[in-house]
Amino acid sequence: MKFSVYWSFLIGLCFNIYFAHCEQTRFDGYQVIRVKVESEKEREVMKELYESSEFDFWDYPRDVMVSPNQVTDIQAKLNENGIEYELWIDNVQDLIDNQFRLKDERERIRRDASVSGPRDFDYSVYHRYSEIDQWIKDTVARFPNLTEEFIIGRSYEKRILRGIKIGAPSSETKEAMWINSGIHSREWISPATNIWMTNQFLEDYGENDNVTRILDRFDMYILPTLNPDGYDFTWNENRLWRKTRSKNVDSDCFGTDPNRNWNTGFGGPGTSTNPCSIIYHGPFPHSESEVKAVTDFITEKSKTQKFVYFMDIHSYSQFYLNPYGYKHEHPKDYDDHMGLGQAFAAATQAVNGTEYVVGTPPDILYIASGIGLDWGYEGAGIKYSGSLELRDQGHYGFLLPEDQILPTAKETYAGMIAAYEYLMANP
């Protein structure tokens, strides 16, 4: 394939793996192709494309976004190797334009500017980092007996990494849970779901016996936006940016994949040494200030509190993922991991019929090294450590429209309650 043509186009357009500051990137004519991979040979072909850093795989190895200049070349490559594929998303920009319930961003700005004083937070729309950060402060003020805000550090661009601890007061040291979202910045449904669930736990305390029992027993440390620099970048310049925004030495490409930067299995299969790759693992483990802040916080807090749960919320594909991600092995706690994941999946499906697949990344996806769930399990010694891939199964991908925020959040909430109940019964 003549990738030199592509790179020329890429530089001119300011695509999502390149320069630091430019006007909002558009994806007119970009398509997502869904590939049917059936053999090891076909998987190797897709792996070659994945590791080339030329393509943006939305869901490796099946969903790959291609620019108008790439369509002919990738189709030729797939046809040459007898790999079946179909057009899955015809025009990515259409999904971006239609993601907001309020189609006109200027209308959204006017709406916000016209309201003075305190107002109810609208959980049915997507919010910027600054709004989510303010939401934490406001929520702590609303629920002073059940919450505390905490700060674990700052991002590369010096945004505050602010979280919220929820739990009922206790005279005894409680077990702890960690729940983060937004590690991959383009996965907007992740923080949107996390903040809705957090609020609902607080609203339901004292009203719902299961929720009351959970918050009486555990302290939950919740970080809604782990990658705020990347998240802001998706709002301001490139909706499909995935990585952090750190500067890479001797490269014009910015950012590291923060979910390949953890020191468990760092640099192994499913990562890249190329700074321009969307799965670039970074120069060394925990090189990203955001990841280091999380690991330092949990490590320090673990000296006084036992962490029993670690959750990293992503999208998309509807998976509940358990250790290990970096190797084809099952840990000693595999049966309990599967039991908890299946409890989550059953409760989630009972709400809207949304089906989740439960398993390890290599069993149902691919090997992914240096990921958070493996650090939680091996690095921090947290028995129940997992990762969620929320809605959907690719029709919208990372561009889930706002009318699916609340259905996603509500079904995930039911699943998380079931998971915590399983954990309490199987510590």
Side-chain angles (χ1 to χ4, degrees), residues 218 281 327 345 369 393:
F218 303 108
H281 54 54
K327 58 184 177 181
S369 303
Q393 293 184 320

Side-chain angles (χ1 to χ4, degrees), residues 257-271:
D257 182 345
N259 203 37
R260 298 295 187 274
N261 191 237
W262 308 71
N263 71 355
T264 302
F266 178 82
T271 69

Side-chain angles (χ1 to χ4, degrees), residues 218-369:
F218 303 108
D219 284 335
M220 296 184 187
Y221 294 90
I222 298 162
L223 184 65
T225 314
L226 191 153
N227 179 12
D229 298 347
Y231 188 68
D232 257 8
F233 196 73
T234 63
W235 278 84
N236 299 329
E237 300 193 32
N238 189 320
R239 176 60 186 86
L240 293 173
W241 185 263
R242 166 185 166 105
K243 302 191 290 180
T244 63
R245 293 296 303 161
S246 55
K247 179 70 176 72
N248 291 312
V249 177
D250 297 327
S251 175
D252 290 324
C253 296
F254 282 74
T256 285
D257 182 345
N259 203 37
R260 298 295 187 274
N261 191 237
W262 308 71
N263 71 355
T264 302
F266 178 82
T271 69
S272 175
T273 60
N274 183 351
C276 297
S277 170
I278 62 172
I279 53 170
Y280 173 54
H281 54 54
F284 53 86
H286 304 172
S287 62
E288 304 312 283
S289 55
E290 301 86 354
V291 174
K292 187 176 188 303
V294 173
T295 59
D296 286 353
F297 177 82
I298 294 176
T299 300
E300 183 63 27
K301 189 63 69 173
S302 294
K303 295 176 182 178
T304 56
Q305 273 188 295
K306 179 182 179 182
F307 278 77
V308 296
Y309 191 71
F310 178 101
M311 171 50 61
D312 180 20
I313 305 176
H314 291 255
S315 73
Y316 62 93
S317 285
Q318 298 168 201
F319 296 136
Y320 191 107
L321 300 173
N322 297 312
Y324 295 110
Y326 75 99
K327 58 184 177 181
H328 284 286
E329 292 182 20
H330 293 162
K332 60 183 177 61
D333 298 307
Y334 174 77
D335 289 342
D336 275 344
H337 292 168
M338 290 297 293
L340 184 145
Q342 288 161 354
F344 169 89
T348 301
Q349 185 175 3
V351 178
N352 296 312
T354 305
E355 296 183 2
Y356 273 73
V357 176
V358 181
T360 70
D363 284 350
I364 60 177
L365 288 169
Y366 48 81
I367 286 183
S369 303

Side-chain angles (χ1 to χ4, degrees), residues 187-245:
E187 298 167 6
W188 285 8
I189 190 61
S190 163
T193 295
N194 201 5
I195 60 176
W196 185 92
M197 291 194 300
T198 301
N199 181 72
Q200 200 61 37
F201 268 110
L202 296 169
E203 296 280 1
D204 285 348
Y205 181 79
E207 303 292 333
N208 179 303
D209 290 342
N210 293 333
V211 169
T212 302
R213 185 166 56 251
I214 291 167
L215 292 188
D216 281 343
R217 178 164 173 177
F218 303 108
D219 284 335
M220 296 184 187
Y221 294 90
I222 298 162
L223 184 65
T225 314
L226 191 153
N227 179 12
D229 298 347
Y231 188 68
D232 257 8
F233 196 73
T234 63
W235 278 84
N236 299 329
E237 300 193 32
N238 189 320
R239 176 60 186 86
L240 293 173
W241 185 263
R242 166 185 166 105
K243 302 191 290 180
T244 63
R245 293 296 303 161

